[in-house]
Amino acid sequence: MNFTEQRRQQFLTEEYYQNAHDFYIEDIDFWKESDAFEDDQYNCGEDRRWTLITNDYLFLLYLSYTAGHAIEEMIPWFEKVIEGYEKQAEALAVFHNSNKPSIITEIGQMLSIIGLAYLLGRRDLLPRIITLINGENGGRLIEDAITSRFLRFNDSNHPLIAVGDGALYNPAYHLDWCKVIDNTNDDENKKNAITYLDEYLSDWYQMNKHELWYNSHLEPAEELRYSGSWAFEAAALVYLVDLADGAL
C-alpha cells in the first residue's frame, strides 16, 4: 500500500510524517547529549531532560500508529516511553533524596498508557506503570474510580477505589466511563455499555481540549505538533470485554 492508503488518519501526509519523524529522532539525540541540564534548588535538570525525551518518544509512538505502521512496531516505542518515565522518577528521587514520586499524574495520560499496555500485549508493564502512577511503595494515592476499575481487568485483586476518591477525579470522564465498565458483566448489559461508551466518545475530543495535541491537525505543518488523536483507552475496553463496537 502507498502512504495514503496505509495511514490511519487523513490529516497525516507522507512529507509531514517524514519531517516530524526525523525531527523528533534528532531531538531525542540532542536532549540525551545536551549539557544544558543542571540540578539546582529550583529545578531537577535530569528530570527535565527525561521529560523532554519521554514526550518525544510518546510523540513518535502516536506518529507511527497514525502513519499506519504495524502494531508490533509500536511496542519498542512504548517500552521507551515507560523507561523514560522511570528515568524522570529516578532523577526526582535523587534530587529530593526521597522515594520515586508519582510521574503519570494526569487522567487522560494515565488512561492512554494503561490502554496501550493492554492493546500492545504488555500487561507485564502494568506493575511498573502503577508505580509511576502512585509513586514508589504507593506513596501517594493518585488512582481513582476509573483507573482502579481499568487496572482490575488485569488483576481482580487490585484495590477498587470509590467514586470521588483519589487525586485524579474528573466528573467529565467519570460520567460515562464508570457506567461502561459497570455494564460489562453479561451480554445484556453490554448493550448498555456500548451506549455509554458512544456517549463517552462523543465528548472525548472536547474533554481533551487542554492537551498539547488538541487541534494540532489545524496548525501549520512546520509546527510539527500533530501526531494523531486516539482514544486508546476506549479501544482497550472494547478489546478487553469483547464489545460489539460496530455502532461506535
Side-chain angles (χ1 to χ4, degrees), residues 22-202:
D22 293 349
F23 174 84
Y24 281 90
I25 291 292
E26 293 174 3
D27 205 49
I28 289 169
D29 291 338
F30 174 80
W31 294 131
K32 284 184 176 180
E33 298 172 2
S34 174
D35 58 2
F37 302 96
E38 295 182 4
D39 292 349
D40 58 33
Q41 63 178 328
Y42 302 108
N43 177 58
C44 174
E46 284 301 302
D47 165 51
R48 180 59 178 160
R49 183 198 305 277
W50 283 102
T51 297
L52 293 167
I53 292 171
T54 305
N55 288 342
D56 286 352
Y57 281 142
L58 195 58
F59 182 97
L60 287 165
L61 187 159
Y62 272 65
L63 184 71
S64 296
Y65 182 74
T66 305
H69 291 193
I71 299 303
E72 292 76 14
E73 295 181 42
M74 307 299 104
I75 296 174
W77 289 125
F78 187 60
E79 292 171 344
K80 289 182 179 297
V81 168
I82 302 306
E83 291 168 3
Y85 284 136
E86 290 175 334
K87 290 286 188 182
Q88 293 177 49
E90 291 169 6
L92 286 169
V94 170
F95 184 65
H96 295 292
N97 191 26
S98 66
N99 287 334
K100 297 173 186 175
S102 306
I103 294 297
I104 305 176
T105 58
E106 192 274 326
I107 190 168
Q109 175 192 35
M110 182 181 301
L111 291 176
S112 182
I113 293 297
I114 296 172
L116 282 166
Y118 286 130
L119 291 169
L120 297 175
R122 294 307 308 268
R123 294 185 184 213
D124 59 301
L125 294 176
L126 285 171
R128 292 163 62 183
I129 292 169
I130 291 170
T131 298
L132 290 166
I133 292 170
N134 292 322
E136 190 174 22
N137 301 320
R140 182 184 177 200
L141 179 62
I142 295 292
E143 288 182 47
D144 63 2
I146 289 179
T147 49
S148 66
R149 279 169 166 77
F150 207 13
L151 289 166
R152 282 168 66 89
F153 282 108
N154 183 59
D155 177 8
S156 60
N157 293 319
H158 188 82
L160 182 63
I161 297 172
V163 174
D165 291 342
L168 280 172
Y169 181 74
N170 183 319
Y173 278 92
H174 281 77
L175 184 62
D176 293 310
W177 186 260
C178 287
K179 292 180 183 177
V180 174
I181 294 180
D182 291 343
N183 278 273
T184 56
N185 297 324
D186 55 57
D187 290 339
E188 186 61 33
N189 282 349
K190 283 182 181 180
K191 296 177 182 178
N192 294 328
I194 282 292
T195 299
Y196 291 128
L197 185 56
D198 198 45
E199 292 173 359
Y200 171 81
L201 289 172
S202 69

